[in-house]
Amino acid sequence: AVFRYLFITLLVLANTVLAAESNLKEGKEKQKAIEALEARSRNGIIEFTKKQWEELVFVNPRPYDVVVLWNVRPGKCEHCQEAQDEFGSLVYSFINARGSQGGDHQSASVEKKIFFGIYYFEKDKAVQKVFKDHGLLTVPYLTVSEMDLKREAKTEGFFKAENKWLIGANEVHDA
């Protein structure tokens, strides 16, 4: 009976290890994909499509944080454009500071990865549903999605209250 219990325990542990290795591999593949999107962007800000949002941000495993500006396309809202300009300045400063830190290659490889993106509101019902499901009924919003390898892919509670901000017209200032 003890050996049967031990055998079952070992099978469960083996499955857990295999699942963890699979998640680690999938997470690294997703990180490479989002790094490629960042490298192709002209300013370090990834313009997410619905598919990219779901695959690279919403669904785990995801071994990185993502900061997203939820907005409308330029020319539709003056204060939204101001918020986007300030977001662009913030990303520029962050990426330059990250690149100028120097240090050895090993410390750079263990740095917690943070990516920046923008998700534009569209007439497409599927995109509108993403906004609505996250409680983003107006724009611009700024959200931080922290790495959480155990988070389920559900919109309820995806963003912690302290990681989701509506940017009001009087809150966009040049510091």
Side-chain angles (χ1 to χ4, degrees):
V2 170
F3 286 108
R4 187 172 143 198
Y5 175 75
L6 181 60
F7 180 72
I8 292 171
T9 302
L10 288 173
L11 282 177
V12 169
L13 286 174
N15 279 338
T16 303
V17 168
L18 289 174
E21 286 179 12
S22 174
N23 280 347
L24 183 61
K25 182 180 177 188
E26 185 180 348
K28 286 183 178 182
E29 289 171 2
K30 288 170 75 169
Q31 184 167 327
K32 284 181 184 177
I34 201 166
E35 285 173 342
L37 287 175
E38 180 186 54
R40 285 195 305 263
S41 72
R42 63 179 179 79
N43 56 4
I45 300 172
I46 300 162
E47 187 177 319
F48 287 112
T49 63
K50 181 182 182 301
K51 181 180 177 187
Q52 291 167 335
W53 166 259
E54 288 175 353
E55 292 175 359
L56 300 175
V57 181
F58 190 62
V59 177
N60 275 329
R62 180 173 47 99
Y64 46 85
D65 297 338
V66 184
V67 179
V68 178
L69 178 66
W70 302 75
N71 211 352
V72 292
R73 294 207 177 268
K76 297 187 177 198
C77 166
E78 186 177 327
H79 112 266
C80 299
Q81 183 60 51
E82 291 173 3
Q84 187 166 329
D85 292 344
E86 289 296 318
F87 184 66
S89 296
L90 170 113
V91 172
Y92 176 83
S93 297
F94 181 87
I95 289 174
N96 281 335
R98 177 172 63 186
S100 68
Q101 300 263 324
D104 59 34
H105 179 69
Q106 187 176 4
S107 66
S109 66
V110 296
E111 171 189 325
K112 186 175 184 181
K113 290 293 188 174
I114 302 171
F115 296 95
F116 297 89
I118 190 163
Y119 198 160
Y120 288 115
F121 187 81
E122 303 283 345
K123 289 184 179 182
D124 180 340
K125 296 288 185 194
V127 171
Q128 291 178 10
K129 183 173 178 359
V130 172
F131 275 70
K132 184 178 178 185
D133 288 350
H134 286 293
L136 307 171
L137 304 179
T138 188
V139 292
Y141 258 96
L142 185 63
T143 60
V144 176
S145 176
E146 297 174 298
M147 173 181 67
D148 179 354
L149 299 177
K150 296 182 181 184
R151 176 181 38 234
E152 294 180 42
K154 59 182 185 176
T155 54
E156 184 180 317
F158 185 78
F159 297 114
K160 296 176 185 173
E162 64 269 17
N163 291 343
K164 181 176 165 184
W165 304 274
L166 174 62
I167 304 170
N170 61 349
E171 296 174 323
V172 180
H173 300 285
D174 210 8

